[in-house]
Amino acid sequence: MTTRELIKKILFIEIIKGLALTLKHFFSPAVTRQYPYKVKIEPPPGARALHALAKYETGKMKCVGCGLCSAICPTKCISIYTTEGEGHRKVVERYEIDTLRCVFCALCVEACPFGAIVLTPHFEYAGYDKGEFRYTKERLLDNWDRYMGPERGRDYFERFWVPKSRDFRGGG
Amino acid sequence: MAMEKTRLGDNSRVTTRELTLNMGPQHPATHGVLRLVLELDGETIVKCTPYVGYLHRGVEKHTEQLNYLQIIPHTDRLDYISSMANNIGYCVAVERLFGIKVPERAQYIRTIVAEVTRILSHLLWLGTHALDIGAMTVFLYCFREREKLQQLLERLCGARLTVSYTRIGGVKKDVDQQWLEDLYAFTEEFPMRIEQYETLIDKNRIWLKRTKGIGVITAEEAINMGLSGPVIRGSGVPYDVRKFMPYCVYDKVKWEVPTGKNGDIYDRYRVRMEEFRQSNSIIRQCIEQIPDGPIMADAPKFVLPPKDAVLTNMEQLIHHFVLITKGPMTAPEGEIYVATEVPKGELGFYIVSDGTGRPYRLRIRPPSFVHISALPRLCEGGLVADVIANIGSIDIVMGECDR
């Protein structure tokens, strides 16, 4: 061991350097955010969280009950029940998503040929029992009004509805 | 004399035996649900037996009932720290099986996100490994950078951890210029951050005592055990799938394979620190070189048709329905093994296709599983305290090991 190394060892040079770095951070602004008390975290558009069923501007539901979303769903968390309505038209009787089983992969959004299902960026939905996480058709349509709406919805489809060709101009 | 006799007693009646110590599966330092049964002689480990399978979900069997597109979210959950790299590994395997040529821009995007994932994974490794050994500050600093990168990933694909970003034949969504600029700004600042981590632990005498000369594995043993990734590179073997069998655009950027010499925990740590710098440099080069163009391959039999075509064209709509419900029905028969370099090592996908839309068999070769098999070799003869350091240094994730 050379003298230099010995002095370094006795004076704890490397430890002091480390401590100096830590000390420097006392005076720099904190990077932690006080969620949820002071800061509300706004996820970026296109973040994959709570589902919604899209509506046309007339208020009519876009979903026609083709069942592609439930076919592609890797966890099989979407269940659709359809009946025959007036003039032999298919009517979506029930449309349910079990959000506790959902893995938020957004393959349903990709599979839907009508742009009827979206994943909104709303992620704060806690509940006291499991039933609250079983989203029925009415609740999903309500989610659209609450977290998406026509303006944000159009923006969503233009940016995040994939795949698309180059001359794509919005869905629905 | 009389006192000593009573203390030690009569030797013929004293029996010594090895103490069996159960470590895990619920142990904060085993990084998941790994269980080790240690046989101790004093504090020295005589025998170490790892037990795996506490996180077995049956992914391989489950994928036989899913079509090729549906498997992508399942690959996220193998090594959930670096889900992007798993996605890429799977998609590269399927593309080689189908013979799809991925466009240049998609290849560049994949390389960028794979290296971002490598940085993310190594940051988590560094933070938790240092925390296990006793340095807490590094953990906080690592998570500061992790948060920035994860916010970038969230902006890119809508999820922070389980990204499901790549698709067979390309990537899900194009990157925008602003995203690339923000990532570039991060890479400019990141080398300074690496230096900060090094200031804290690189020469710290406690860190050196805990890592130097511990868990030594020679190059020959490492090769025989089938180790890969930073573990084998720490032993001085410059094996990297990205160099040996390049995929994406790793052959178009300049980078080096960092190696260690002694094969101990410290060298594995050094290799990962160097990989930070290499990944950083790869990202920078890719952002500088990234060309314009499509992000999905032109392979209508395997790739979902564009959305506007689905809405206007009957044939495309039928195509869309078949691809979603049945998978690519015209998939070629055959089998393929493709290895990619994920942050933990060599991740291989072995796919047997029987010509239907679903794989007949999908076998995953996870690096963590192979690395756990080296754990007895690393631990035996050492101390109990070093088990934690050893587990940390091989960087295992049980979601991938047990799959």
Side-chain angles (χ1 to χ4, degrees):
Chain A
M1 194 183 284
T2 59
T3 331
R4 216 191 144 109
E5 278 172 12
L6 192 70
I7 291 170
K8 272 190 180 172
K9 196 146 201 178
I10 292 169
L11 293 179
F12 289 90
I13 297 291
E14 85 283 352
I15 304 246
I16 287 167
K17 270 188 190 162
L19 288 174
L21 179 70
T22 321
L23 190 70
K24 219 163 67 186
H25 279 78
F26 273 116
F27 306 106
S28 57
V31 289
T32 44
R33 289 174 289 174
Q34 299 296 321
Y35 174 84
Y37 301 107
K38 287 184 185 158
V39 187
K40 206 110 170 89
I41 287 178
E42 199 63 47
R48 309 198 305 242
L50 186 62
H51 316 68
L53 275 178
K55 290 177 185 172
Y56 288 109
E57 279 169 27
T58 55
K60 192 169 159 272
M61 181 169 76
K62 276 187 183 178
C63 177
V64 295
C66 67
L68 277 192
C69 46
S70 75
I72 195 72
C73 182
T75 56
K76 300 275 170 279
C77 70
I78 305 174
S79 37
I80 307 170
Y81 305 92
T82 53
T83 48
E84 201 176 309
E86 272 173 49
H88 303 294
R89 289 187 79 87
K90 205 176 194 179
V91 177
V92 184
E93 181 100 351
R94 275 157 66 199
Y95 187 105
E96 287 181 1
I97 295 181
D98 188 354
T99 47
L100 291 180
R101 271 171 68 184
C102 178
V103 295
F104 300 97
C105 61
L107 283 182
C108 48
V109 183
E110 225 158 292
C112 183
F114 293 93
I117 185 163
V118 294
L119 295 186
T120 64
H122 176 73
F123 66 97
E124 297 161 308
Y125 52 105
Y128 282 102
D129 70 274
K130 278 189 169 181
E132 289 176 42
F133 297 99
R134 202 167 171 82
Y135 278 79
T136 56
K137 191 175 88 179
E138 288 71 32
R139 290 180 73 194
L140 289 167
L141 286 169
D142 187 45
N143 284 347
W144 171 261
D145 292 332
R146 239 187 252 183
Y147 309 118
M148 271 295 188
E151 278 304 309
R152 284 178 74 183
R154 197 176 302 118
D155 179 58
Y156 178 86
F157 284 120
E158 265 169 32
R159 283 205 274 169
F160 303 105
W161 203 31
V162 285
K164 56 194 158 215
S165 65
R166 296 210 145 193
D167 49 346
F168 180 68
R169 283 185 296 278
Chain B
M1 272 299 165
M3 257 185 80
E4 201 177 325
K5 210 167 194 179
T6 42
R7 190 152 55 87
L8 292 174
D10 188 1
N11 263 355
S12 61
R13 280 195 292 166
V14 177
T15 52
T16 57
R17 65 183 178 89
E18 280 149 8
L19 174 74
T20 309
L21 182 72
N22 182 50
M23 190 176 165
Q26 269 81 35
H27 191 285
T30 55
H31 294 215
V33 282
L34 172 66
R35 177 176 167 227
L36 297 172
V37 174
L38 307 169
E39 279 178 27
L40 308 174
D41 176 17
E43 217 184 325
T44 316
I45 295 159
V46 181
K47 194 161 177 261
C48 164
T49 322
Y51 286 85
V52 296
Y54 288 91
L55 205 60
H56 179 67
R57 285 105 65 208
V59 171
E60 288 181 5
K61 188 69 190 166
H62 191 47
T63 49
E64 289 168 17
Q65 287 150 45
L66 301 170
N67 71 37
Y68 288 99
L69 182 60
Q70 284 174 303
I71 297 170
I72 293 171
H74 280 275
T75 59
D76 278 342
R77 284 149 181 88
L78 294 174
D79 174 3
Y80 37 80
I81 312 298
S82 46
S83 46
M84 202 71 100
N86 294 329
N87 286 174
I88 293 167
Y90 169 72
C91 284
V92 169
V94 175
E95 280 150 12
R96 292 223 184 126
L97 179 69
F98 290 175
I100 301 174
K101 202 174 172 302
V102 181
E104 192 89 326
R105 187 175 172 84
Q107 302 266 30
Y108 271 95
I109 295 172
R110 280 183 181 187
T111 315
I112 291 171
V113 291
E115 293 309 314
V116 167
T117 312
R118 196 176 310 278
I119 292 179
L120 276 173
S121 174
H122 283 358
L123 278 175
L124 183 89
W125 163 81
L126 179 64
T128 52
H129 184 43
L131 190 67
D132 288 346
I133 290 183
M136 191 167 175
T137 322
V138 191
F139 176 79
L140 301 171
Y141 290 2
C142 287
F143 268 65
R144 175 186 58 193
E145 269 71 67
R146 251 181 84 82
E147 179 64 26
K148 282 184 190 164
L149 282 178
Q150 294 214 299
Q151 279 177 359
L152 281 173
L153 282 191
E154 194 181 13
R155 267 170 61 193
L156 178 64
C157 56
R160 290 160 61 92
L161 207 63
T162 49
V163 286
S164 303
Y165 178 59
T166 56
R167 291 286 175 270
I168 293 155
V171 292
K172 178 182 161 184
K173 187 178 153 282
D174 203 354
V175 293
D176 51 20
Q177 197 55 36
Q178 186 58 43
W179 191 85
L180 288 176
E181 277 165 22
D182 288 354
L183 183 60
Y184 201 78
F186 176 84
T187 59
E188 267 168 6
E189 164 210 34
F190 190 55
M192 188 263 282
R193 302 293 191 192
I194 306 170
E195 274 167 30
Q196 284 190 352
Y197 312 143
E198 286 177 344
T199 315
L200 283 174
I201 51 177
D202 211 37
K203 292 194 177 64
N204 189 312
R205 60 191 70 183
I206 307 167
W207 179 264
L208 294 180
K209 275 255 157 84
R210 294 296 309 268
T211 54
K212 276 223 160 166
I214 291 164
V216 180
I217 190 155
T218 61
E220 197 180 22
E221 278 174 315
I223 293 169
N224 286 346
M225 283 177 171
L227 306 183
S228 52
V231 182
I232 201 172
R233 291 197 285 274
S235 300
V237 184
Y239 174 69
D240 194 315
V241 182
R242 291 174 290 170
K243 270 276 189 247
F244 278 71
M245 292 166 271
Y247 54 99
C248 293
V249 290
Y250 285 112
D251 46 349
K252 289 180 190 164
V253 287
K254 282 198 195 85
W255 60 285
E256 284 160 15
V257 182
T259 50
K261 266 193 213 109
N262 308 321
D264 56 2
I265 297 177
Y266 186 77
D267 276 21
R268 295 198 271 276
Y269 150 76
R270 280 307 318 161
V271 165
R272 290 199 176 93
M273 294 309 271
E274 283 309 314
E275 279 189 12
F276 274 140
R277 297 201 168 84
Q278 297 299 333
S279 295
N280 204 50
S281 138
I282 294 175
I283 295 173
R284 285 174 76 90
Q285 290 176 54
C286 283
I287 293 176
E288 281 157 13
Q289 293 175 13
I290 189 165
D292 272 335
I295 52 158
M296 275 302 237
D298 183 23
K301 281 179 179 167
F302 308 113
V303 174
L304 289 181
K307 273 277 139 59
D308 45 346
V310 170
L311 292 172
T312 50
N313 190 327
M314 190 65 194
E315 284 76 25
Q316 299 279 31
L317 184 67
I318 294 167
H319 226 79
H320 186 80
F321 265 71
V322 171
L323 275 174
I324 293 285
T325 52
K326 297 263 199 290
M329 294 294 280
T330 48
E333 283 181 39
E335 53 189 87
I336 196 162
Y337 175 82
V338 173
T340 48
E341 183 82 15
V342 296
K344 312 249 173 339
E346 175 187 331
L347 174 77
F349 280 97
Y350 173 68
I351 304 174
V352 181
S353 162
D354 58 352
T356 59
R358 285 145 201 213
Y360 176 75
R361 174 85 169 94
L362 188 138
R363 151 93 188 147
I364 302 155
R365 184 246 188 239
S368 297
F369 183 68
V370 182
H371 288 176
I372 284 174
S373 72
L375 205 54
R377 168 67 194 77
L378 294 170
C379 293
E380 278 166 20
L383 302 175
V384 179
D386 295 335
V387 174
I388 302 296
N390 277 322
I391 293 172
S393 81
I394 56 171
D395 194 12
I396 48 171
V397 163
M398 294 313 284
E400 178 183 55
C401 171
D402 295 342
R403 55 207 188 279

